[in-house]
Amino acid sequence: MKSYSFRMKRGALRRRARDVSLVLVVLLCATVVIWTWDRAPTSAFLPPESHYLKLQTEEKVERIPTDTKDIYSSATPFVNKDTKEEEIQGEEVTLSETNQGKTPTIEEIKQEHEDIATEPIYRKTPAIEDNKLEQVKHEVPVGEAKATKKTHIKKTNLDPESKSLAADEERTSTTHIKSQACNYAKGKWVVDDHRPLYSGAHCKQWLASMWACRLMQRTDFAFERLRWQPKDCSMEEFEGSKFLKRMKNKTLAFVGDSLGRQQFQSMMCMITGGKERPDVLDVGPEFGFITPEGGARPGGWAYRFPETNTTVLYHWSSTLCDIQPINISDPLTEHAMHLDRPPAFLRQYLHKIHVLVMNTGHHWNRGKLNGNRWVMHVNGVRNTNKKLAALGNAKNFTIHSTVSWVSSQLPLHPGLKAFYRSLSPRHFVGGEWNTGGSCNNTTPMSIGKEVLQEESRDYSAGHAVKGTGVKLLDIAALSHIRDEGHISRFSISASPGVQDCLHWCLPGVPDTWNEILFAMI
Ligand SMILES: *[C@@H]1O[C@H](CO)[C@@H](O)[C@H](O)[C@H]1NC(C)=O
Ligand SMILES: *[C@@H]1O[C@H](CO)[C@@H](O)[C@H](O)[C@H]1NC(C)=O
Ligand SMILES: *[C@@H]1O[C@H](CO)[C@@H](O)[C@H](O)[C@H]1NC(C)=O
Ligand SMILES: *[C@@H]1O[C@H](CO)[C@@H](O)[C@H](O)[C@H]1NC(C)=O
Ligand SMILES: *[C@@H]1O[C@H](CO)[C@@H](O)[C@H](O)[C@H]1NC(C)=O
C-alpha cells in the first residue's frame, strides 16, 4: 500500500513537472511572438500593397503623374447630365433621379439622402491623414494603425490661418479684427424692417425665376423679414459698396452644387441691391465658362463689376471632386469620380481666386451617381474598398481631401481666403421628395429661433476644416430652424404634389450666409 501510494505520488509529480515545462514552452513562444510583433512594422502583417488601396496623402495629390495628365487638364468640355437636368427641370436633387439608370428605392434615398442631423456621430480623432489610412485598412485596429503610421505621414497643416490673420491685422480696422473671434453660427433670428436686402420681384438680372418666390403663387412673405443676430458680437451690416471696396481687384468664387448657386445669385442681388446693372461684364470665358457644343449651359458664370474690378463667379461642382469621362469618344461613357482629387477647375483657376466658398452634400446619393454613370475612383483606379464605397464615407472622404488640398495650397496663394460652407438642411416632412414629402409651415421661428451650440451641426464639415487653413462658413444650424423658407409647393417646375424642401426662396436664408461671409472676409 505504502509503495503503491508512493508510486502514485511520483507519477503525479512527474506529470506536474511535464505540465509545468509545457506551460513554460508556451509562455516562451508567446513572448517571442509578441516581441517580434512589437518590433515589426504593422505593414508586415497586412496583405501586400496590391491587395489594398493606398490613399493619397497631400504630397501625392500635389504631383500630377504624367500618364494621367490628360485626365486632369482635359480640354474637352464635359457636359454634366445633372446640369442639363437641373436647367430643364428647374430642380436639382428632387426631380432628376429617374431619368437614367437604376431608379433608387425609397429606402436608398432615405438612407443616402438624409441630412447630417441623422448621420451617426463618429469618434473624433486628431490627425486627418492617419485616418485616411485607417479608412482603407479597416482590419487593423485604429489605435495600432495610428501609432505605427504617424511618423510616415507628412503633416500639411502649416497653420496658414495664423499667417493670413496676421496679414489681416495689418490692413483692417479694429472692429474687423474683433469680428474674427466671433462664432457667427451662434445667435438668433430677429424680425428686422431692413430686410430683405433686395426685391425678389426685381432682381431679374441675376435671380433665376425658379427661386424667386415673389414670382410664384406664394403669398406669405414673413420669411423675408428675418435677420440673423450673432450672439455676443455685432455683425457688420452688408452693403454692396463696402463689399466691392473690400474686394477691389479681387475674385469671389462659389464652387459647389445648386445650393452654392443659390448663394451666388443671392450675392449678386445683394451687391446690386437687386437693381439692373448693364455695365457689369460677363467674363465667363476667362474662367472657361463656355457652353459646350450640345450642352445646355456652361460650367459656371462669372461677372465683373468694372468700378472696382471685382469678379464674382460660380462653378458647378456638385460633388467637389474631379469628374472625368473614361472614354472621351463614347457619348455614353462612364465617368471617373476621383474622390481624392479636387475639381479640375480649382487646380486650374485657384491662383485667380481671392475668396473661395466651397460646398457639397445633397448629390451624394445612388440615384445621382448611377444616373450620371459616375464611378468612384481613388488613386487613379476604380475604388474596390467597400467601406469607402458607402456614400456617407465617400462624401466625408472627399470633403476631407478637397479641404486639405486647398489648405495645402494656401501658402502658394497668400491672398487667398478659403471657406467650406456647412450643409444646407432639407425639411421634407411626411415623405421624401418623390413620396409626397412637404414643408408647409409658413410661420417663421416655429421650430426654434436660437442656436447656442458651439460645435457645428455638420459634423463632417467641422471635422474637415479642423487644423487646416480653411475656415468653416457654418450655416447648418441657423438654416435648420428656417423650415418655412423653402420653395415648398410653389415650385414653378415641379409636378403637382411634389414639393421643393431643399432649395430656398430668394431673398431668404442664403442671404444670411452671405452676410456672415462678408463679416468674415
Ligand atoms: C471622415 O473622414 C475623416 C478623414 O478621412 C475621418 O477622420 C473621420 O472620422 C470621418 N468621419 C466620418 C463621420 O466618417
Ligand atoms: C488694382 O489693380 C490696378 C491695376 O493692376 C492697380 O493700379 C491698382 O492699384 C490696384 N488696386 C488695388 C487696391 O490693389
Ligand atoms: C483686375 O484685378 C486683377 C486681379 O484680380 C488684376 O490682375 C488686373 O490687373 C486688374 N485689372 C485692372 C484693370 O485693374
Ligand atoms: C471608346 O468608345 C468608342 C466609341 O463608342 C469605341 O469605339 C472605343 O472602342 C472605346 N474605347 C475603349 C478603350 O473602350
Ligand atoms: C402640405 O400641403 C399639401 C398640399 O396642400 C398637403 O397635401 C399635405 O398633406 C400637407 N402636409 C402636411 C404635413 O400637412
PDB file of all heavy atoms in Angstrom, residues 119-125 127-129 131-135 392-393 396-397 400 459-460 463, ligand 1:
ATOM      1  N   GLU A 119     -27.133  61.634 -39.355  1.00  0.00           N
ATOM      2  CA  GLU A 119     -25.943  60.813 -39.519  1.00  0.00           C
ATOM      3  C   GLU A 119     -25.367  60.481 -38.153  1.00  0.00           C
ATOM      4  O   GLU A 119     -25.442  61.279 -37.232  1.00  0.00           O
ATOM      5  CB  GLU A 119     -24.900  61.563 -40.360  1.00  0.00           C
ATOM      6  CG  GLU A 119     -25.264  61.536 -41.829  1.00  0.00           C
ATOM      7  CD  GLU A 119     -24.308  62.324 -42.672  1.00  0.00           C
ATOM      8  OE1 GLU A 119     -23.242  62.715 -42.168  1.00  0.00           O
ATOM      9  OE2 GLU A 119     -24.643  62.554 -43.846  1.00  0.00           O
ATOM     10  N   PRO A 120     -24.793  59.287 -38.039  1.00  0.00           N
ATOM     11  CA  PRO A 120     -24.253  58.916 -36.731  1.00  0.00           C
ATOM     12  C   PRO A 120     -23.088  59.819 -36.350  1.00  0.00           C
ATOM     13  O   PRO A 120     -22.377  60.330 -37.215  1.00  0.00           O
ATOM     14  CB  PRO A 120     -23.766  57.483 -36.937  1.00  0.00           C
ATOM     15  CG  PRO A 120     -23.584  57.334 -38.404  1.00  0.00           C
ATOM     16  CD  PRO A 120     -24.585  58.250 -39.034  1.00  0.00           C
ATOM     17  N   ILE A 121     -22.900  60.020 -35.094  1.00  0.00           N
ATOM     18  CA  ILE A 121     -21.761  60.797 -34.617  1.00  0.00           C
ATOM     19  C   ILE A 121     -20.581  59.849 -34.467  1.00  0.00           C
ATOM     20  O   ILE A 121     -20.671  58.818 -33.822  1.00  0.00           O
ATOM     21  CB  ILE A 121     -22.083  61.442 -33.257  1.00  0.00           C
ATOM     22  CG1 ILE A 121     -23.313  62.326 -33.378  1.00  0.00           C
ATOM     23  CG2 ILE A 121     -20.890  62.220 -32.718  1.00  0.00           C
ATOM     24  CD1 ILE A 121     -23.185  63.490 -34.314  1.00  0.00           C
ATOM     25  N   TYR A 122     -19.502  60.208 -35.124  1.00  0.00           N
ATOM     26  CA  TYR A 122     -18.335  59.342 -35.073  1.00  0.00           C
ATOM     27  C   TYR A 122     -17.349  59.863 -34.051  1.00  0.00           C
ATOM     28  O   TYR A 122     -17.314  61.033 -33.731  1.00  0.00           O
ATOM     29  CB  TYR A 122     -17.656  59.286 -36.445  1.00  0.00           C
ATOM     30  CG  TYR A 122     -18.484  58.571 -37.467  1.00  0.00           C
ATOM     31  CD1 TYR A 122     -19.535  59.215 -38.109  1.00  0.00           C
ATOM     32  CD2 TYR A 122     -18.227  57.246 -37.763  1.00  0.00           C
ATOM     33  CE1 TYR A 122     -20.305  58.559 -39.040  1.00  0.00           C
ATOM     34  CE2 TYR A 122     -18.990  56.584 -38.705  1.00  0.00           C
ATOM     35  CZ  TYR A 122     -20.027  57.234 -39.341  1.00  0.00           C
ATOM     36  OH  TYR A 122     -20.784  56.598 -40.262  1.00  0.00           O
ATOM     37  N   ARG A 123     -16.531  58.961 -33.603  1.00  0.00           N
ATOM     38  CA  ARG A 123     -15.479  59.315 -32.671  1.00  0.00           C
ATOM     39  C   ARG A 123     -14.528  60.315 -33.334  1.00  0.00           C
ATOM     40  O   ARG A 123     -14.219  60.216 -34.506  1.00  0.00           O
ATOM     41  CB  ARG A 123     -14.716  58.042 -32.334  1.00  0.00           C
ATOM     42  CG  ARG A 123     -13.532  58.213 -31.442  1.00  0.00           C
ATOM     43  CD  ARG A 123     -12.832  56.861 -31.337  1.00  0.00           C
ATOM     44  NE  ARG A 123     -12.652  56.246 -32.642  1.00  0.00           N
ATOM     45  CZ  ARG A 123     -11.691  56.582 -33.493  1.00  0.00           C
ATOM     46  NH1 ARG A 123     -10.841  57.512 -33.177  1.00  0.00           N
ATOM     47  NH2 ARG A 123     -11.598  55.986 -34.672  1.00  0.00           N
ATOM     48  N   LYS A 124     -14.063  61.263 -32.537  1.00  0.00           N
ATOM     49  CA  LYS A 124     -13.138  62.253 -33.080  1.00  0.00           C
ATOM     50  C   LYS A 124     -11.710  61.774 -32.937  1.00  0.00           C
ATOM     51  O   LYS A 124     -11.335  61.226 -31.913  1.00  0.00           O
ATOM     52  CB  LYS A 124     -13.267  63.558 -32.313  1.00  0.00           C
ATOM     53  CG  LYS A 124     -14.396  64.401 -32.794  1.00  0.00           C
ATOM     54  CD  LYS A 124     -14.321  65.732 -32.097  1.00  0.00           C
ATOM     55  CE  LYS A 124     -15.708  66.283 -31.942  1.00  0.00           C
ATOM     56  NZ  LYS A 124     -15.715  67.560 -31.279  1.00  0.00           N
ATOM     57  N   THR A 125     -10.930  61.996 -33.977  1.00  0.00           N
ATOM     58  CA  THR A 125      -9.503  61.713 -33.869  1.00  0.00           C
ATOM     59  C   THR A 125      -8.757  62.905 -34.438  1.00  0.00           C
ATOM     60  O   THR A 125      -9.238  63.550 -35.354  1.00  0.00           O
ATOM     61  CB  THR A 125      -9.122  60.450 -34.657  1.00  0.00           C
ATOM     62  OG1 THR A 125      -9.875  60.431 -35.861  1.00  0.00           O
ATOM     63  CG2 THR A 125      -9.409  59.210 -33.852  1.00  0.00           C
ATOM     64  N   ALA A 127      -5.717  63.439 -36.154  1.00  0.00           N
ATOM     65  CA  ALA A 127      -4.953  63.586 -37.388  1.00  0.00           C
ATOM     66  C   ALA A 127      -5.711  63.062 -38.595  1.00  0.00           C
ATOM     67  O   ALA A 127      -6.041  61.894 -38.684  1.00  0.00           O
ATOM     68  CB  ALA A 127      -3.617  62.869 -37.256  1.00  0.00           C
ATOM     69  N   ILE A 128      -5.982  63.955 -39.511  1.00  0.00           N
ATOM     70  CA  ILE A 128      -6.738  63.612 -40.709  1.00  0.00           C
ATOM     71  C   ILE A 128      -6.027  62.551 -41.534  1.00  0.00           C
ATOM     72  O   ILE A 128      -6.603  61.561 -41.932  1.00  0.00           O
ATOM     73  CB  ILE A 128      -6.960  64.868 -41.560  1.00  0.00           C
ATOM     74  CG1 ILE A 128      -7.994  65.742 -40.872  1.00  0.00           C
ATOM     75  CG2 ILE A 128      -7.413  64.515 -42.959  1.00  0.00           C
ATOM     76  CD1 ILE A 128      -8.009  67.141 -41.392  1.00  0.00           C
ATOM     77  N   GLU A 129      -4.735  62.753 -41.753  1.00  0.00           N
ATOM     78  CA  GLU A 129      -4.008  61.855 -42.646  1.00  0.00           C
ATOM     79  C   GLU A 129      -3.998  60.433 -42.104  1.00  0.00           C
ATOM     80  O   GLU A 129      -4.149  59.477 -42.835  1.00  0.00           O
ATOM     81  CB  GLU A 129      -2.565  62.343 -42.855  1.00  0.00           C
ATOM     82  CG  GLU A 129      -2.484  63.604 -43.648  1.00  0.00           C
ATOM     83  CD  GLU A 129      -2.733  64.831 -42.793  1.00  0.00           C
ATOM     84  OE1 GLU A 129      -2.940  64.703 -41.579  1.00  0.00           O
ATOM     85  OE2 GLU A 129      -2.732  65.923 -43.334  1.00  0.00           O
ATOM     86  N   ASN A 131      -6.190  59.020 -40.434  1.00  0.00           N
ATOM     87  CA  ASN A 131      -7.490  58.409 -40.597  1.00  0.00           C
ATOM     88  C   ASN A 131      -7.766  57.974 -42.016  1.00  0.00           C
ATOM     89  O   ASN A 131      -8.528  57.067 -42.251  1.00  0.00           O
ATOM     90  CB  ASN A 131      -8.573  59.364 -40.131  1.00  0.00           C
ATOM     91  CG  ASN A 131      -8.659  59.341 -38.636  1.00  0.00           C
ATOM     92  OD1 ASN A 131      -9.067  58.349 -38.081  1.00  0.00           O
ATOM     93  ND2 ASN A 131      -8.221  60.391 -38.005  1.00  0.00           N
ATOM     94  N   LYS A 132      -7.149  58.648 -42.959  1.00  0.00           N
ATOM     95  CA  LYS A 132      -7.330  58.236 -44.340  1.00  0.00           C
ATOM     96  C   LYS A 132      -6.825  56.811 -44.495  1.00  0.00           C
ATOM     97  O   LYS A 132      -7.413  56.012 -45.185  1.00  0.00           O
ATOM     98  CB  LYS A 132      -6.543  59.163 -45.269  1.00  0.00           C
ATOM     99  CG  LYS A 132      -7.336  60.378 -45.631  1.00  0.00           C
ATOM    100  CD  LYS A 132      -6.592  61.173 -46.666  1.00  0.00           C
ATOM    101  CE  LYS A 132      -7.176  62.560 -46.731  1.00  0.00           C
ATOM    102  NZ  LYS A 132      -6.285  63.472 -47.408  1.00  0.00           N
ATOM    103  N   LEU A 133      -5.721  56.542 -43.854  1.00  0.00           N
ATOM    104  CA  LEU A 133      -5.181  55.193 -43.945  1.00  0.00           C
ATOM    105  C   LEU A 133      -6.079  54.220 -43.201  1.00  0.00           C
ATOM    106  O   LEU A 133      -6.347  53.141 -43.654  1.00  0.00           O
ATOM    107  CB  LEU A 133      -3.770  55.170 -43.371  1.00  0.00           C
ATOM    108  CG  LEU A 133      -2.776  55.881 -44.285  1.00  0.00           C
ATOM    109  CD1 LEU A 133      -1.588  56.378 -43.510  1.00  0.00           C
ATOM    110  CD2 LEU A 133      -2.337  54.958 -45.399  1.00  0.00           C
ATOM    111  N   GLU A 134      -6.578  54.667 -42.060  1.00  0.00           N
ATOM    112  CA  GLU A 134      -7.448  53.796 -41.279  1.00  0.00           C
ATOM    113  C   GLU A 134      -8.656  53.367 -42.085  1.00  0.00           C
ATOM    114  O   GLU A 134      -9.076  52.234 -42.026  1.00  0.00           O
ATOM    115  CB  GLU A 134      -7.970  54.540 -40.056  1.00  0.00           C
ATOM    116  CG  GLU A 134      -6.978  54.610 -38.925  1.00  0.00           C
ATOM    117  CD  GLU A 134      -7.478  55.566 -37.883  1.00  0.00           C
ATOM    118  OE1 GLU A 134      -8.701  55.714 -37.748  1.00  0.00           O
ATOM    119  OE2 GLU A 134      -6.637  56.165 -37.227  1.00  0.00           O
ATOM    120  N   GLN A 135      -9.188  54.315 -42.850  1.00  0.00           N
ATOM    121  CA  GLN A 135     -10.398  54.004 -43.596  1.00  0.00           C
ATOM    122  C   GLN A 135     -10.184  52.815 -44.503  1.00  0.00           C
ATOM    123  O   GLN A 135     -11.081  52.036 -44.738  1.00  0.00           O
ATOM    124  CB  GLN A 135     -10.763  55.190 -44.487  1.00  0.00           C
ATOM    125  CG  GLN A 135     -11.622  56.185 -43.778  1.00  0.00           C
ATOM    126  CD  GLN A 135     -12.111  57.226 -44.736  1.00  0.00           C
ATOM    127  OE1 GLN A 135     -11.509  57.435 -45.780  1.00  0.00           O
ATOM    128  NE2 GLN A 135     -13.183  57.873 -44.410  1.00  0.00           N
ATOM    129  N   GLY A 392     -21.960  57.847 -47.490  1.00  0.00           N
ATOM    130  CA  GLY A 392     -21.621  58.759 -46.388  1.00  0.00           C
ATOM    131  C   GLY A 392     -20.116  58.852 -46.207  1.00  0.00           C
ATOM    132  O   GLY A 392     -19.560  59.938 -46.022  1.00  0.00           O
ATOM    133  N   ASN A 393     -19.446  57.725 -46.302  1.00  0.00           N
ATOM    134  CA  ASN A 393     -17.998  57.717 -46.143  1.00  0.00           C
ATOM    135  C   ASN A 393     -17.292  58.362 -47.328  1.00  0.00           C
ATOM    136  O   ASN A 393     -16.316  59.086 -47.158  1.00  0.00           O
ATOM    137  CB  ASN A 393     -17.491  56.277 -45.969  1.00  0.00           C
ATOM    138  CG  ASN A 393     -17.933  55.674 -44.653  1.00  0.00           C
ATOM    139  OD1 ASN A 393     -18.271  56.397 -43.719  1.00  0.00           O
ATOM    140  ND2 ASN A 393     -17.951  54.362 -44.583  1.00  0.00           N
ATOM    141  N   ASN A 396     -17.700  62.107 -47.038  1.00  0.00           N
ATOM    142  CA  ASN A 396     -16.836  62.612 -45.973  1.00  0.00           C
ATOM    143  C   ASN A 396     -15.368  62.583 -46.406  1.00  0.00           C
ATOM    144  O   ASN A 396     -14.620  63.529 -46.168  1.00  0.00           O
ATOM    145  CB  ASN A 396     -17.051  61.754 -44.719  1.00  0.00           C
ATOM    146  CG  ASN A 396     -16.107  62.108 -43.604  1.00  0.00           C
ATOM    147  OD1 ASN A 396     -16.124  63.237 -43.121  1.00  0.00           O
ATOM    148  ND2 ASN A 396     -15.260  61.175 -43.207  1.00  0.00           N
ATOM    149  N   PHE A 397     -14.986  61.524 -47.072  1.00  0.00           N
ATOM    150  CA  PHE A 397     -13.602  61.387 -47.528  1.00  0.00           C
ATOM    151  C   PHE A 397     -13.264  62.493 -48.533  1.00  0.00           C
ATOM    152  O   PHE A 397     -12.208  63.113 -48.468  1.00  0.00           O
ATOM    153  CB  PHE A 397     -13.412  60.002 -48.158  1.00  0.00           C
ATOM    154  CG  PHE A 397     -12.048  59.796 -48.730  1.00  0.00           C
ATOM    155  CD1 PHE A 397     -10.950  59.670 -47.896  1.00  0.00           C
ATOM    156  CD2 PHE A 397     -11.853  59.731 -50.105  1.00  0.00           C
ATOM    157  CE1 PHE A 397      -9.672  59.483 -48.427  1.00  0.00           C
ATOM    158  CE2 PHE A 397     -10.594  59.550 -50.640  1.00  0.00           C
ATOM    159  CZ  PHE A 397      -9.501  59.427 -49.793  1.00  0.00           C
ATOM    160  N   HIS A 400     -12.958  65.894 -46.867  1.00  0.00           N
ATOM    161  CA  HIS A 400     -11.658  65.989 -46.199  1.00  0.00           C
ATOM    162  C   HIS A 400     -10.534  66.158 -47.207  1.00  0.00           C
ATOM    163  O   HIS A 400      -9.636  66.972 -46.999  1.00  0.00           O
ATOM    164  CB  HIS A 400     -11.408  64.753 -45.325  1.00  0.00           C
ATOM    165  CG  HIS A 400     -12.056  64.819 -43.981  1.00  0.00           C
ATOM    166  ND1 HIS A 400     -13.416  64.655 -43.809  1.00  0.00           N
ATOM    167  CD2 HIS A 400     -11.559  65.056 -42.754  1.00  0.00           C
ATOM    168  CE1 HIS A 400     -13.710  64.771 -42.528  1.00  0.00           C
ATOM    169  NE2 HIS A 400     -12.591  65.024 -41.858  1.00  0.00           N
ATOM    170  N   TYR A 459     -21.189  67.767 -38.666  1.00  0.00           N
ATOM    171  CA  TYR A 459     -20.004  67.218 -38.020  1.00  0.00           C
ATOM    172  C   TYR A 459     -18.852  67.017 -39.003  1.00  0.00           C
ATOM    173  O   TYR A 459     -17.698  67.346 -38.723  1.00  0.00           O
ATOM    174  CB  TYR A 459     -20.359  65.880 -37.348  1.00  0.00           C
ATOM    175  CG  TYR A 459     -19.182  65.279 -36.658  1.00  0.00           C
ATOM    176  CD1 TYR A 459     -18.793  65.741 -35.398  1.00  0.00           C
ATOM    177  CD2 TYR A 459     -18.415  64.298 -37.279  1.00  0.00           C
ATOM    178  CE1 TYR A 459     -17.686  65.230 -34.778  1.00  0.00           C
ATOM    179  CE2 TYR A 459     -17.297  63.773 -36.658  1.00  0.00           C
ATOM    180  CZ  TYR A 459     -16.939  64.243 -35.401  1.00  0.00           C
ATOM    181  OH  TYR A 459     -15.834  63.746 -34.795  1.00  0.00           O
ATOM    182  N   SER A 460     -19.189  66.499 -40.167  1.00  0.00           N
ATOM    183  CA  SER A 460     -18.165  66.200 -41.175  1.00  0.00           C
ATOM    184  C   SER A 460     -17.424  67.469 -41.594  1.00  0.00           C
ATOM    185  O   SER A 460     -16.190  67.485 -41.688  1.00  0.00           O
ATOM    186  CB  SER A 460     -18.849  65.563 -42.382  1.00  0.00           C
ATOM    187  OG  SER A 460     -17.924  65.067 -43.280  1.00  0.00           O
ATOM    188  N   HIS A 463     -15.187  68.771 -38.778  1.00  0.00           N
ATOM    189  CA  HIS A 463     -14.018  67.907 -38.635  1.00  0.00           C
ATOM    190  C   HIS A 463     -13.021  68.155 -39.767  1.00  0.00           C
ATOM    191  O   HIS A 463     -11.809  68.167 -39.553  1.00  0.00           O
ATOM    192  CB  HIS A 463     -14.488  66.454 -38.640  1.00  0.00           C
ATOM    193  CG  HIS A 463     -13.433  65.468 -38.238  1.00  0.00           C
ATOM    194  ND1 HIS A 463     -12.569  64.903 -39.148  1.00  0.00           N
ATOM    195  CD2 HIS A 463     -13.112  64.958 -37.029  1.00  0.00           C
ATOM    196  CE1 HIS A 463     -11.759  64.073 -38.502  1.00  0.00           C
ATOM    197  NE2 HIS A 463     -12.060  64.087 -37.217  1.00  0.00           N
TER     198      HIS A 463
HETATM  199  C1  LIG B   1     -14.343  61.493 -42.222  1.00  0.00           C
HETATM  200  O1  LIG B   1     -13.071  61.309 -42.756  1.00  0.00           O
HETATM  201  C2  LIG B   1     -12.036  61.660 -41.889  1.00  0.00           C
HETATM  202  C3  LIG B   1     -10.723  61.582 -42.644  1.00  0.00           C
HETATM  203  O2  LIG B   1     -10.688  60.550 -43.551  1.00  0.00           O
HETATM  204  C4  LIG B   1     -12.076  60.771 -40.654  1.00  0.00           C
HETATM  205  O3  LIG B   1     -11.082  61.139 -39.760  1.00  0.00           O
HETATM  206  C5  LIG B   1     -13.433  60.898 -39.995  1.00  0.00           C
HETATM  207  O4  LIG B   1     -13.543  60.010 -38.919  1.00  0.00           O
HETATM  208  C6  LIG B   1     -14.528  60.634 -40.983  1.00  0.00           C
HETATM  209  N1  LIG B   1     -15.791  60.987 -40.368  1.00  0.00           N
HETATM  210  C7  LIG B   1     -16.881  60.287 -40.587  1.00  0.00           C
HETATM  211  C8  LIG B   1     -18.126  60.844 -39.996  1.00  0.00           C
HETATM  212  O5  LIG B   1     -16.877  59.259 -41.239  1.00  0.00           O
END
